[in-house]
Amino acid sequence: MSTRIALTRYLVEKQRVDGHIPSQLRLLLEVVARACKSISHAVNKGALGGVLGSAGSENVQGEVQKKLDIIANEVLIDANEWGGHLAAMASEEMDAIHVVPNRYPKGEYLLLFDPLDGSSNIEVNVSIGTIFSVLKMPEGDRGVEEADFLQPGRCQVAAGYCVYGPQTTLVLTVGDGVAMFTLDREQGSFVLTEDNVRIPEDTKEFAINMSNMRHWDEPVKRYIDECLQGKEGPRGKDFNMRWVASMVADVHRIMTRGGIFMYPWDKREPQKPGKLRLLYEANPMGWLIEQAGGAATNGHQRILDVQPRQLHERVSVILGSRNEVERVTAYHQEAAAVSA
């Protein structure tokens, strides 16, 4: 780009020229971006910063926490609680919501985040990231409670992720398309590197954990089997498989070149509707994918239409290039109709 547009300028123009976002939301997104820069710095230090390894604790889902999980969570809370833009926050790493303390002014927004997605990859130096979502407080609300966060994904007013890889890249939507920003470490600012990101409708690449194949439902087995048959099969083309085991890295690849990502329901824990968290992962990623021209479903319905029932609800996720997502979803619907 001939003119370097920093994140602040981009957001100011969204507010002032396009009228897409109010000033308080702009300021909130700038604070989140600064927090992501701090997390990026901690991630980049790695062993030199003494931040690698297990913290010796578990989160609310019973998963072992890494030191960086806790550090990233604290960075996001400390950066956001005093600015006056938020009423409360919710995190994948916390059991309950974090209400802004009374000593600080309260705003009209709610912030939800997965502070460090893909943390199992920290020690092996593979891309990890932060995922975030912003909701508005319900109208006429008296105080903040957990139920205020239980809004379907279509109610989001902003969503994004920051991937900490060879570059630190922030990907953002405020409801009018997707923009990518790369962190210029010399200047200390995020710079717009791609606007109006679009995902190809077709793809020859899928991302799924193949080790779970024996546990999949039949529609997923059918789809993957067709992909693996390649040119000789019903799809008439060869597919590649990619799997980073870090949702933010897998989704970023789809954002840059297309593909389909699947973390479906399986038979290991049939009572759970899926593995990924609806509020902290599926909703923000689903909205970003849709804003870039892709699709996101749980196999049966649009993810953004799923009504959350609890803070840490899980969901099956199928997202990416529209035509492939619609194919897998159709297979699920066909199977449901037969069994009905």
Side-chain angles (χ1 to χ4, degrees):
M1 291 188 177
S2 56
T3 303
R4 289 166 60 92
I5 299 175
L7 175 65
T8 297
R9 175 178 168 183
Y10 175 88
L11 292 173
V12 165
E13 289 179 353
K14 286 293 177 192
Q15 173 198 336
R16 187 177 60 205
V17 181
D18 300 330
H20 283 298
I21 56 173
S23 60
Q24 292 301 303
L25 180 56
R26 171 178 66 81
L27 293 168
L28 169 57
L29 293 173
E30 289 180 3
V31 173
V32 172
R34 284 199 296 273
C36 288
K37 283 193 285 185
S38 297
I39 296 169
S40 175
H41 185 63
V43 169
N44 290 152
K45 278 189 173 182
L48 298 177
V51 296
L52 301 186
S54 171
S57 58
E58 294 183 349
N59 64 16
V60 65
Q61 289 88 20
E63 299 164 335
V64 174
Q65 291 177 306
K66 302 286 187 178
K67 292 178 183 177
L68 271 172
D69 282 321
I70 296 173
I71 291 169
N73 195 67
E74 291 174 349
V75 166
L76 282 159
I77 291 173
D78 292 346
N80 285 283
E81 70 176 1
W82 54 268
H85 321 305
L86 289 175
M89 291 174 266
S91 166
E92 181 179 312
E93 299 299 330
M94 299 189 300
D95 189 3
I97 64 173
H98 177 88
V99 179
V100 170
N102 289 330
R103 63 183 180 275
Y104 300 127
K106 283 186 172 60
E108 59 182 325
Y109 294 103
L110 303 170
L111 178 65
L112 306 90
F113 50 82
D114 178 355
L116 208 61
D117 177 74
S119 55
S120 63
N121 284 317
I122 291 171
E123 273 76 17
V124 294
N125 203 17
V126 170
S127 295
I128 53 181
T130 297
I131 308 171
F132 62 91
S133 168
V134 183
L135 297 166
K136 280 199 75 171
M137 276 285 290
E139 292 288 334
D141 221 71
R142 294 115 0 249
V144 191
E145 54 190 33
E146 185 175 306
D148 296 326
F149 287 84
L150 304 183
Q151 303 179 39
R154 63 178 180 271
C155 296
Q156 294 173 104
V157 294
Y161 65 82
C162 195
V163 58
Y164 313 119
Q167 307 91 37
T168 292
T169 305
L170 176 67
V171 181
L172 177 69
T173 184
V174 291
D176 66 332
V178 176
M180 286 189 186
F181 303 83
T182 301
L183 180 60
D184 183 335
R185 296 195 179 278
E186 294 177 357
Q187 300 297 323
S189 60
F190 282 104
V191 177
L192 182 67
T193 46
E194 188 173 355
D195 202 1
N196 194 29
V197 175
R198 304 303 293 172
I199 298 171
E201 292 189 352
D202 296 293
T203 184
K204 296 182 179 180
E205 201 162 78
F206 65 88
I208 195 168
N209 186 346
M210 292 290 287
S211 69
N212 293 328
M213 181 187 295
R214 67 194 183 278
H215 304 297
W216 294 339
D217 209 3
E218 289 307 315
V220 178
K221 287 182 179 178
R222 174 185 173 186
Y223 175 78
I224 296 299
D225 183 58
E226 289 179 353
C227 292
L228 295 177
Q229 290 180 53
K231 288 182 179 178
E232 294 73 29
R235 302 304 309 280
K237 59 183 179 180
D238 292 328
F239 280 76
N240 289 325
M241 192 197 88
R242 297 288 184 268
W243 182 251
V244 183
S246 168
M247 186 189 190
V248 74
D250 281 311
V251 169
H252 191 62
R253 184 183 60 253
I254 289 169
M255 280 289 186
T256 54
R257 69 187 194 201
I260 181 171
F261 169 90
M262 290 176 283
Y263 212 132
W265 172 90
D266 65 43
K267 298 168 185 174
R268 288 173 298 171
E269 295 178 288
Q271 74 282 4
K272 290 184 178 180
K275 171 73 172 175
L276 298 177
R277 285 77 181 177
L278 175 60
L279 296 178
Y280 313 112
E281 295 168 319
N283 274 345
M285 289 305 205
W287 196 34
L288 283 159
I289 289 289
E290 284 195 4
Q291 284 290 312
T297 78
N298 64 359
H300 302 279
Q301 69 178 123
R302 180 188 181 213
I303 280 178
L304 300 188
D305 289 335
V306 175
Q307 175 60 53
R309 293 162 295 179
Q310 52 186 338
L311 202 57
H312 298 287
E313 184 170 341
R314 297 174 188 251
V315 68
S316 173
V317 175
I318 301 165
L319 56 76
S321 294
R322 176 171 294 279
N323 290 339
E324 296 302 311
V325 173
E326 290 179 350
R327 177 181 288 267
V328 185
T329 304
Y331 289 175
H332 279 83
Q333 293 168 344
E334 287 173 22
V338 169
S339 62

